[in-house]
Each structure stands twice: as structure tokens, then as C-alpha cells.
Amino acid sequence: MSKYDAIIIGGGHNGLVCASYLSKKGCKILILEKNENLGGLANCASSLNGFSSKVLGDLKINLPKLNYNSYVVALHSDQQHTILQENNNKIIFIKSGANEENQKKFSSLIDKYNLYASTLSKFMYEVPPRLKSGSSKDTWQLINMGWKIRKLGKKNMREFLRVIGLNIADELEDNLSDNTLKGLLAHEAILGSNLGPRSPGSILSLLYRQAIQNGLFTSEKYDFHQLIPSLEKICLNQGVEIKNNASVKKIVTTNNQATGVILDSEEKIDAGIIISNADPKTTYFDLLGTEPLDTDFIRRAKNIRTKGNIAKLTITLKENPIIQNIDKEKMNAKFIYAPDINYIERAFNASKYNKYNENLCFEFHHCVKVIVANIYYVPHVKNNTHDKERLIQHSINLLKPFISNLEIEKAELLTPNEIEEKYHVKGGHWHHGDIEIDQMLMMRPFYGSAQYTTPIKNLYLCSAGTHPGGGITGINGRNAAKKIMGDKK
Amino acid sequence: MSQTNISYKQPLLETPFHEKTREKCYAHDWYRWAGYKAVNQYTSTELEYTSMRNTAGVIDISPMHKYSIKGKDAKKFINKLNTRDITNIQPHQVVYALWCNEDGFVVDDGTIFCFDENNFRICSGERNLNWFEDTAIGFDVKIEDISHSIAALALQGPLSCKILHMLNANNIENLKPFYFDQFTINNQKITISRTGFSGDLGYELWCDPSQAHDVWDALFSFNKDYKILPAGLNALEMVRIEAGFIVVNADLMAAEHALRPNRMRTPFELGLAWMVNLDKEYFNGKEALINQKNRGIEKKLVGLDVQGDKPAVGSVLYNKSKKEIGIVTAAMWSPSLKSNIAIGYVDKENMKLGTIILAEIYHPEELEYRKIWAKCKVVKKQFINLERKNAVPAFI
């Protein structure tokens, strides 16, 4: 008899959530984390807007709430920045160069998307149905999903089905004339996915984001530095064993059934269930090996789109930054620079060919002399051939026009390649794979591997690569745990 | 002599034997085979067929797809790829194999040649490079398409061994079926395997394109006494039906080609259950095949002994109460058996040997079709089973 009921590979937030749920039901769990610290990519995230309140409630986690109004600032090169605030899903224009009609249309567009997103968000906590299974339960669930969309009403359902395949640029150009507002919404639609504003499906990507974070610019609700330690505490309290610096070399299978893992140190640990919190490609190609997988399956695994394109820049300044025309109290805002659709599209264009255009887009937060920025599009390139010094210089040059006292003490940059290496995520992709129509719900990560299961018995997935997808939500870990408990019965 | 420069001026490639085959192809009846010009019939299909069953026929099979599989994991890779267990394969051995996709549907069939533990060759009817390369992800193997760099002839018929023997192929009569070796004929060192598609005693000759003409000439050097003929595809089709061999994309749709999922077939449905080793640790489609084995098959490819003398080409099959139950995939009048034979699919109620069903034959008779309801008996696909095929030593 093995000592553990289940081993979770990877102590990212989903791994921890999954362990919390399972151990609550009395399972003996071992978490193997490759790095020194738990948390994985969650440590790389600049906010935890999307962390599921349902998961927090289930696990009885009380994260300290941060009580302040948060703003969104769309930077403009003439220093006439647009400032917005989102309050209870309503957009308030604090300052904007856009005329009233544009402001109104912008708000109604977001309202419309919020409505669709709320339909999508109903699917988040369900294990998506299996296709072609022939089981009545799956068919029923599929009908149920269709019904939820139908419940939008005839007009809205039509509009919903119309826009999910569209690109955001077309929709914005039809409705708005203000470039800054168009750029702002396009930015939200494509951030984190390998899409441009003119890529089909970029509206769906926006809806999905809204669905996951329950709003578009949702102000930071929790002190996210507390999240991973809280999860760790729960796990430890419930008897979960956590091993840091334990890198899994291989998942052991016999007769198409996972039976344990081998660590880099050649130590072999047995368990009845193996749960991989690594992304699907790493799980299948590196940890499991292709030997027990069908060729068609390997093809699909190989073809999931996991190309990351966001570099993370952290700069420490000598003094607090000053941005022209922005008051001190609004300095906790999220700053976005994506001035117009064509500017973004051009940057994306270069990244398609693994190059980067010097005119990149970015968003950043500021917190006591430290600026944390997501710079895109910086492509994930083969063999990590980035010229980093140049990249850092370019990134700083991007910030320079806006911050008048930019005196840098220290600048650090993580390219997608480095994110890949540091957090063991293929392609350095935030969400373990683009969230697009063919890579979501019962197709996430891909047909044959959805529903948190794998072709190997007792091997499960719980990473962001599964439904409902990326972001720091913890829902993947919860759903996987539910699925595993269901299978055990 | 690898010719890969196809253009609109020369849309089809010519095999290394082209000069020779063109000379003999009086009928000028060519067809397209994997981008090559290949002969349908040289003079008369029946004559070519007769030579294969009575003396020997020579078929240019150079267009066949050939893949070299080399590397540390070559054997492991092939074991994953195909449904048979080749763990105990010996050097110089050939294995007929099928490979399936994840749903257990046949992707293609072919022959696997083992040179040594780390060096194999697979010959197949369809292009498979993409399938092989995707299957090989994670394996230490190098896969190369060597179709253009090997010339191949099939020498099939009762005199085939005698001809090779007279050409001083040393000890050729003791080469066992499904084995191959190096031989020297007409001063050319070539590879000869005792394999073929005729269900008769026969060999396949593999050589460098530069040796092609010498090898061809050598085979015909005894034609004063032993009349052997070059044979085209039509004649080959006749002998293969008699032997009960299947052709991918004729008797079944290759899984990679079929657009309609219900057109694909599993080895069980093809009556090739003996080629599936479900005890093997892992291979493509294992899970699906186990499921199908437990569930049972819905249709099966069987042999049919058809009443009358009108070939049931393309006929729809019915049960006794004239309910549609299947379709004929290949049919002919067999000159050797003096009977009307066919291969076709029947449903599970009618797949037992000896079952009588009906074929609806539309026989063209001077611009009008005559509809014939021919009784058919379900028989084994292998209509002809010649003792000389597997005899060792072979007839010289």
C-alpha cells in the first residue's frame, strides 16, 4: 500500500486548491513542487482579480480586503490620459477626451458583454460534458448549456452567437470613434492570448475574461500576497505533505494506469492517483512520455496553441513615479498603453513572425517605487535568442514619455522564454494555452483530454490548461478535485 | 536516378524501369500510382494473369512507398505503430502489418523488413510519412522516405524461383516465405524477399535504380524456353482477389483519408483479427480494439462465392428477405478456380461461413443492363491456397 492517496505535481495555486479540496475529504496528499516556493505562475501575476470567491468560501479563506478605489488609466502620448473607474460593473468616466456619445456607447458595449459573460460564467464550475460519449448525462448537460444560452432571449442569443466568432476590432470600429477607448477595450480582449485585435475570436476572449473575473476592470479586492500562504496553511492543517525542490522526472505507468512518480533524485513515490498541475504539453510530452499515447492524441496535444507573448518588467525607481495629469491618489491605478487598434495590430503582426516591433503595448501597476509592467507583444522565440539588454532598454523607452522622473535603480525583465523556464510552462503562456473557441469548455485543453482526465487511468490534470482556463481562479483545481472524488465513488 | 522534378510538362514521374516497361506496353494503358506512371496492362490482362499463375509475371512496383526507420527505438516505435507484436522479429524477416488510429480504424497496411534491431524498412501502399513522424514523437528514431531511391520488381508465379535459381541466386529455393536476403544476379548485388501480392510462389526484388535495367533484362533472359511476361495492375488485381488480399482505399477507406467516420474499418471488421495482438503493452488503437472485441463487430469483410458467371462488381448485397446488408468491394470471374468470386461487407447476421445471401448484379448487355439476383455463399476470403506458395525448398 502506498503512503499517499494522491500525488499532485506542481504546487501552483490550482495544485494547492485541488489538494485542499481532496484533503478535506480525507485523502492523503503529497504535493511535489519543483521550485523553492509554492505558487508557480501566481507569483508572476500582478493581480488576483479573478480568484473565485466560491473557492475562497468553500475553503474558508479570509483574505484581507483592500479598501480603496481603483482606477484604470489609458495613457495617451499627448498626456491627456483617459481615466475610468468601474463600480459595481458600471463604468464611470472620470476624465476622457471622448464625446458623450462615445462614452455612452462604450458603457453599453461593456454592459452587453457583461450580460454574455454572465452566461458563460455559469459554465465555469461544471465539469464540461464529454463529446461523443453516448451517455445521456453528457447529452443532457450539453442541452442544458444550450438552454442557458437560449435563456438570454432571442435577440440577445442571436447577438451572442454573432459576436463570439468576431474580432474585437470590427465590433469597436462599428461602434466607437474614439481611438483611446477602442485601444483600451482591444487591450483587455487580447491580453494573455496570442491574438491581435483583428484575430477572429478576440471578442470571445474578452467575454471569457469578464466571466472569469466577474467584471472587466474589477478593482483589486484582496491582498493577493496572502493567497498562496493561506492555501499552504490550509493544506498543512489538513495533513497534506508538501515537498519543495522536488522535481518530477517521470510519471510511472503500468498497463495504462498511473501508479507513481520518479523524482529527479531517482526516488520513486507510489500513489493511487497522480494529478498533474503542469500544463498539458509538459504533462504529456515531458512527464508521461508519448509511448502510451495514441498518435492522434499526440497530434492534438502538439497542436494546442501555447505561444506566450508577454514579458514581465519589474523596475525599482529612486523615487515615487510622477505621471503628468494624474493625481497622487490615482497612482494605484492600472495604467494601460495601447493607444489604438492599428498600433496593437502592428505589434502583433511582428510577433507572428517571431520578431518584435519596438512599439509595444503595455500595462503596469505601481506600488511604492516599484513598477510592474506586462509588455507585449514579446514573442516566445526558439532557443531563447532574445537580446535582453535591448529589450529592457526598449521597454524603458516605452515608459519614459509618461513618467517624468524615471530614474531607475534596478530593472528586471522576464521574457516568455524565461517564464517558460522558471515556471515550467510551455511557451511561457499565462493561461497554459490560448483561450479560444476550439480550446475551451469540453475542448480544453483538447478533445480526448478534457474533463480533467487523461487516456491514462488515474492520471488527472488540474492546471490552467483545463476548463475553465487560465487566470488565477482556483476553479480548475476545485473542478478537478470534484471530478476525482466523483470517479472514486 | 531519383526523379522528383515534376512539372506541368511532365506531371508524372517515370520509374527506373520505365524505358523497359514502355517498350513492352503495347496497349499504352497507364495509370497514376503515387505520382508515377505505372502500367495497367501491357498487352492483355488475361494473358498477364495467366503468366502469373502458370509461368511468372514481372510487375514494376517501384512507386510503392518505402520508409527507412533507423535508431535506438526503431523496434519500440514499430511495436507502438502496428497491431502485431514484433518483439521477436529476426534480421532478414518480413512481417505483414496493419496500423490503426486511436479509434482502431486501419490507417494503412504494409510490410516491415527487419535489417537489424535498429534498422527497419516499411513498404506501404499509401503515403505515411506524416503518420509515422507524429507516431515517432518521443522516440529515438529517424524516419526517411526512401521511395525514390529504391527500384522494385515483383516476380510472381510458379517459375519465379526457377528463374532466380537459373540466374545463380545462391540457395534461393531455401529462402523461407516472409524472409529476405542479399543475392547476386547478373553481377548485381540485390535484395530479394519471398513476398508478394499474388498468393502464389513469388519474390520481390529490391535494388538501386542504377541496377534496374540489368535486373530487368536478367529476368527475361530465359524467355526462349520459359515465357514470362511483364504484368500490369489489372492482372495483379485479379491475383490478389483470388488470394483474398485487401487493398487500402479499395476494400476499405484509409482512416487518414476517409471523410465519413462510418467508412473506416477496424482489423476485426476486415477479418484480420489474427493480426491484432491485444496482449501487447501498448499500441495505437489498443483501447478501441479491446472495446470492439468485447462489443462484437457489426460488419465484416468476407469472401463470396457468387452464382453464375457475371462478375458482381460494385453490387449491393441483400439478405434472403431482400434487406440491404452490404456491398461488394472487389469481384471477378476467376479463371483458375472457374468460379465467380467477390469480396464484400456483410452485416453481423450474415457473416457466418456458409450463409446464403443475394447480390444484385447489373450486367451490361449491349447498351442495356440485365439485373441478376445472384445467390452468394459466404466463404473465406482466401479463395486460392496453393501449396507451392509456402513450400521450402521452393520449386525449381
Side-chain angles (χ1 to χ4, degrees):
Chain A
M1 252 330 257
S2 58
K3 214 170 130 195
Y4 307 103
D5 294 319
I7 292 175
I8 296 180
I9 304 168
H13 70 282
N14 276 318
L16 292 171
V17 168
C18 190
S20 311
Y21 273 93
L22 288 176
S23 56
K24 216 165 81 175
K25 296 269 182 211
C27 293
K28 183 81 188 127
I29 313 276
L30 171 68
I31 296 178
L32 298 168
E33 168 57 44
K34 198 169 183 170
N35 289 353
E36 210 176 308
N37 301 317
L38 293 174
L41 258 181
N43 295 328
C44 196
S46 45
S47 80
L48 294 183
N49 295 347
F51 203 86
S52 159
S53 43
K54 188 164 183 175
V55 172
L56 291 179
D58 281 356
L59 299 176
K60 299 197 178 70
I61 300 177
N62 268 322
L63 288 183
K65 277 202 178 170
L66 298 176
N67 243 339
Y68 56 67
N69 293 324
S70 172
Y71 301 90
V72 178
V73 177
L75 297 167
H76 203 279
S77 48
D78 68 3
Q79 309 301 334
Q80 297 305 315
H81 311 306
T82 300
I83 307 172
L84 305 178
Q85 194 181 15
E86 192 180 41
N87 223 335
N88 293 329
N89 282 338
K90 282 271 169 276
I91 301 289
I92 302 160
F93 285 83
I94 311 273
K95 184 168 166 263
S96 169
N99 59 27
E100 206 167 306
E101 195 198 339
N102 260 294
Q103 296 188 3
K104 251 188 176 158
K105 275 201 168 159
F106 184 81
S107 298
S108 73
L109 213 53
I110 288 179
D111 285 345
K112 182 173 94 175
Y113 290 163
N114 270 336
L115 176 69
Y116 303 155
S118 66
T119 301
L120 275 181
S121 66
K122 287 178 189 138
F123 306 144
M124 298 295 161
Y125 291 94
E126 289 172 22
V127 176
R130 272 176 65 205
L131 297 175
K132 273 165 75 177
S133 74
S135 120
S136 59
K137 192 178 147 248
D138 290 325
T139 318
W140 186 241
Q141 199 184 347
L142 213 57
I143 293 170
N144 201 10
M145 284 169 73
W147 174 239
K148 277 178 186 153
I149 294 172
R150 182 65 188 82
K151 265 192 0 205
L152 281 168
K154 195 169 179 182
K155 203 176 137 216
N156 276 325
M157 180 186 76
R158 272 187 155 172
E159 179 65 7
F160 174 67
L161 293 177
R162 183 182 78 90
V163 298
I164 53 171
L166 281 188
N167 68 69
I168 187 86
D170 278 357
E171 175 93 337
L172 293 175
E173 281 168 355
D174 282 352
N175 288 295
L176 302 173
S177 59
D178 185 78
N179 277 337
T180 313
L181 292 184
K182 282 195 269 187
L184 179 64
L185 211 50
H187 160 90
E188 293 296 331
I190 50 159
L191 190 71
S193 267
N194 196 20
L195 297 172
R198 295 193 194 282
S199 308
S202 38
I203 293 190
L204 185 61
S205 155
L206 178 68
L207 295 180
Y208 216 76
R209 242 169 97 89
Q210 282 176 282
I212 284 184
Q213 17 178 83
N214 217 351
L216 190 54
F217 305 112
T218 352
S219 45
E220 259 171 60
K221 286 181 254 171
Y222 308 111
D223 182 0
F224 67 84
H225 298 290
Q226 299 297 322
L227 177 74
I228 299 297
S230 312
L231 284 170
E232 185 182 1
K233 218 171 97 191
I234 289 178
C235 286
L236 292 174
N237 283 346
Q238 289 175 164
V240 175
E241 271 182 54
I242 299 175
K243 265 193 191 178
N244 293 3
N245 296 320
S247 166
V248 175
K249 193 164 133 196
K250 198 127 189 89
I251 296 169
V252 187
T253 61
T254 35
N255 275 332
N256 240 16
Q257 188 164 342
T259 53
V261 296
I262 296 178
L263 301 184
D264 270 355
S265 59
E266 299 300 330
E267 186 190 346
K268 188 167 178 281
I269 310 174
D270 291 332
I273 293 172
I274 310 295
I275 304 159
S276 173
N277 189 27
D279 68 290
K281 274 189 185 173
T282 305
T283 306
Y284 289 125
F285 291 111
D286 300 344
L287 297 177
L288 183 63
T290 53
E291 218 176 306
L293 300 172
D294 282 311
T295 305
D296 308 70
F297 187 90
I298 294 166
R299 276 185 176 171
R300 289 194 292 266
K302 193 181 79 177
N303 291 340
I304 47 175
R305 299 182 297 281
T306 56
K307 195 180 155 196
N309 56 27
I310 302 182
K312 188 183 171 169
L313 176 72
T314 314
I315 37 184
T316 315
L317 301 175
K318 288 198 175 128
E319 48 193 300
N320 277 330
I322 299 166
I323 297 177
Q324 213 184 317
N325 291 332
I326 303 285
D327 318 338
K328 235 183 184 169
E329 53 155 55
K330 296 199 179 80
M331 280 308 285
N332 61 24
K334 174 160 94 165
F335 295 91
I336 293 165
Y337 184 65
D340 69 75
I341 289 174
N342 290 339
Y343 177 93
I344 310 174
E345 188 69 30
R346 266 194 288 274
F348 172 61
N349 234 341
S351 95
K352 276 194 283 196
Y353 305 104
N354 286 340
K355 302 207 164 49
Y356 72 92
N357 181 330
E358 283 176 29
N359 299 317
L360 302 170
C361 311
F362 60 85
E363 61 164 25
F364 69 83
H365 286 271
H366 150 254
C367 186
V368 206
K369 290 189 193 173
V370 178
I371 286 178
V372 183
N374 293 318
I375 315 258
Y376 64 100
Y377 298 89
V378 177
H380 175 268
V381 289
K382 261 190 189 157
N383 311 326
N384 198 2
T385 48
H386 281 301
D387 181 351
K388 253 190 92 176
E389 285 309 310
R390 228 178 103 212
L391 201 52
I392 293 177
Q393 201 47 54
H394 282 161
S395 307
I396 291 169
N397 289 347
L398 288 168
L399 294 174
K400 239 178 209 163
F402 304 105
I403 301 170
S404 45
N405 57 341
L406 195 72
E407 279 180 58
I408 292 162
E409 206 156 74
K410 205 171 84 190
E412 266 180 283
L413 185 112
L414 280 177
T415 62
N417 290 71
E418 286 163 318
I419 293 176
E420 172 176 44
E421 202 184 329
K422 192 168 172 191
Y423 300 107
H424 321 288
V425 180
K426 278 278 144 69
H429 197 295
W430 278 12
H431 307 310
H432 293 193
D434 286 345
I435 300 174
E436 284 174 57
I437 197 153
D438 60 331
Q439 295 194 161
M440 58 170 59
L441 291 168
M442 45 277 188
M443 306 286 274
R444 190 167 180 88
F446 52 90
Y447 172 65
S449 177
Q451 294 86 31
Y452 312 94
T453 55
T454 67
I456 306 299
K457 234 177 134 188
N458 294 342
L459 175 64
Y460 292 86
L461 301 179
C462 73
S463 69
T466 60
H467 171 76
I472 314 290
T473 65
I475 306 176
N476 312 64
R478 169 200 175 266
N479 288 1
K482 272 190 78 177
K483 170 79 181 163
I484 293 161
M485 292 313 295
D487 284 358
K488 263 182 111 178
K489 272 174 199 163
Chain B
M1 214 169 83
S2 110
Q3 305 167 318
T4 43
N5 43 344
I6 308 177
S7 74
Y8 72 96
K9 283 181 189 162
Q10 194 194 4
L12 288 177
L13 302 171
E14 293 169 353
T15 75
F17 299 102
H18 186 73
E19 270 177 47
K20 299 288 175 186
T21 52
R22 190 187 56 198
E23 210 176 280
K24 294 273 171 83
C25 186
Y26 300 109
H28 282 294
D29 188 354
W30 301 84
Y31 78 108
R32 172 194 289 264
W33 178 7
Y36 281 91
K37 278 183 218 168
V39 178
N40 251 334
Q41 65 171 349
Y42 286 88
T43 50
S44 128
T45 297
E46 284 71 24
L47 202 60
E48 290 155 30
Y49 163 84
T50 310
S51 75
M52 265 198 277
R53 285 283 180 245
N54 294 287
T55 59
V58 179
I59 305 155
D60 179 5
I61 53 166
S62 307
M64 198 143 78
H65 296 289
K66 309 165 208 83
Y67 300 96
S68 145
I69 317 284
K70 286 182 182 166
K72 205 163 77 352
D73 290 340
K75 199 184 228 178
K76 229 165 92 185
F77 158 73
I78 293 174
N79 250 338
K80 174 181 175 180
L81 174 77
N82 95 100
T83 55
R84 292 178 76 174
D85 190 355
I86 62 146
T87 313
N88 297 322
I89 197 170
Q90 297 301 314
H92 298 294
Q93 201 182 342
V94 185
V95 164
Y96 172 59
L98 290 172
W99 40 101
C100 299
N101 72 3
E102 63 177 346
D103 298 318
F105 294 126
V106 174
V107 172
D108 200 5
D109 65 345
T111 42
I112 299 167
F113 291 67
C114 173
F115 293 90
D116 61 53
E117 285 280 298
N118 306 322
N119 183 3
F120 292 80
R121 181 188 297 165
I122 300 182
C123 298
S124 64
E126 298 297 325
R127 287 186 169 82
N128 278 293
L129 189 62
N130 191 254
W131 184 258
F132 289 172
E133 287 203 319
D134 284 349
T135 307
I137 292 172
F139 288 82
D140 185 2
V141 287
K142 193 168 165 271
I143 297 166
E144 208 184 332
D145 186 346
I146 50 169
S147 303
H148 298 297
S149 52
I150 293 174
L153 285 179
L155 175 66
Q156 304 281 315
L159 291 187
S160 51
C161 186
K162 191 177 180 83
I163 304 279
L164 293 173
H165 175 71
M166 287 190 298
L167 287 168
N168 297 323
N170 192 22
N171 205 16
I172 184 83
E173 63 277 16
N174 285 320
L175 185 67
K176 287 187 274 180
F178 283 101
Y179 276 85
F180 69 95
D181 217 330
Q182 295 276 329
F183 294 92
T184 307
I185 63 168
N186 205 8
N187 294 324
Q188 302 291 341
K189 226 175 160 181
I190 63 167
T191 303
I192 299 180
S193 59
R194 192 168 165 185
T195 48
F197 211 49
S198 66
D200 209 319
L201 174 62
Y203 297 86
E204 285 170 330
L205 288 61
W206 313 86
C207 64
D208 191 82
S210 64
Q211 304 171 307
H213 289 188
D214 282 340
V215 172
W216 178 277
D217 288 340
L219 293 180
F220 291 94
S221 55
F222 303 103
N223 258 22
K224 211 172 129 238
D225 301 315
Y226 303 97
K227 193 80 178 159
I228 71 166
L229 290 178
L233 174 89
N234 290 353
L236 185 66
E237 173 73 6
M238 291 175 73
V239 290
R240 78 97 183 168
I241 297 174
E242 285 179 342
F245 293 145
I246 55 160
V247 174
V248 174
N249 284 335
D251 297 303
L252 71 144
M253 290 305 299
E256 288 285 274
H257 295 197
L259 300 174
R260 299 162 182 87
N262 60 351
R263 303 299 198 275
M264 304 179 220
R265 297 290 178 262
T266 68
F268 296 126
E269 290 166 343
L270 297 172
L272 295 172
W274 62 275
M275 292 184 64
V276 181
N277 185 339
L278 293 176
D279 300 330
K280 199 158 65 156
E281 165 123 14
Y282 182 76
F283 62 89
N284 265 338
K286 182 179 175 185
E287 184 96 11
L289 289 172
I290 290 175
N291 286 343
Q292 194 183 41
K293 197 178 179 187
N294 296 337
R295 216 174 44 232
I297 50 175
E298 295 293 318
K299 49 176 114 40
K300 190 179 177 186
L301 193 65
V302 295
L304 296 169
D305 187 353
V306 186
Q307 183 190 32
D309 59 358
K310 307 291 182 274
V313 178
S315 289
V316 178
L317 297 170
Y318 297 83
N319 66 9
K320 275 185 196 152
S321 46
K322 295 211 175 161
K323 185 180 155 257
E324 199 179 313
I325 55 162
I327 194 165
V328 168
T329 60
M332 67 180 278
W333 168 260
S334 161
S336 302
L337 298 164
K338 305 282 180 287
S339 70
N340 193 9
I341 59 172
I343 297 174
Y345 287 101
V346 294
D347 68 1
K348 66 176 170 195
E349 277 83 35
N350 295 285
M351 58 175 74
K352 236 177 96 186
L353 296 185
T355 312
I356 303 289
I357 57 170
L358 294 168
E360 186 186 26
I361 302 171
Y362 285 84
H363 184 65
E365 281 179 350
E366 298 180 332
L367 295 180
E368 265 185 37
Y369 280 112
R370 178 154 66 93
K371 184 170 162 180
I372 304 166
W373 285 100
K375 271 190 190 162
C376 312
K377 193 163 115 187
V378 174
V379 294
K380 275 190 181 169
K381 278 202 299 295
Q382 192 185 24
F383 296 99
I384 202 166
N385 191 6
L386 300 161
E387 212 173 291
R388 62 179 178 240
K389 180 178 78 174
N390 292 326
V392 181
F395 171 73
I396 44 174

